[in-house]
Amino acid sequence: MNFLDSFIIVLLIALLNIIVYIIFKKYLYGKQDAGMKFLVVNLSKDLIWLVISLIIIEKTQANFLFIVICFLIASFLIYLPIIKLINKS
């Protein structure tokens, strides 16, 4: 895999996670069914990221494993603060 391709994929998921977190904090936090609305926004973000990632990289088993690992780490990093915020309210 090309380093630039992997960098773009990681940068894209980080940027999209930041955008989703900002959307949650500004528009969804403290409202009715904030968790479910977050899930809809986050799943949409994940689908967009996956399609763009599959367009960028070569379709090999190692690259697919890289995408899966990035997805798992990014999901953990976004769900952890969101769950903490929801539990506070």
Side-chain angles (χ1 to χ4, degrees), residues 28-72:
L28 302 176
Y29 182 62
K31 301 216 169 117
Q32 186 74 18
D33 294 329
M36 295 304 286
K37 291 175 185 173
F38 164 74
L39 286 175
V40 170
V41 172
N42 195 46
L43 287 174
S44 302
K45 180 256 322 172
D46 289 338
L47 286 174
I48 292 169
W49 173 77
L50 180 63
V51 168
I52 293 171
S53 297
L54 289 175
I55 290 171
I56 292 174
I57 66 168
E58 300 172 16
K59 279 69 172 179
T60 64
Q61 188 174 6
N63 291 346
F64 180 73
L65 183 62
F66 175 73
I67 286 178
V68 169
I69 291 170
C70 285
F71 173 77
L72 291 174

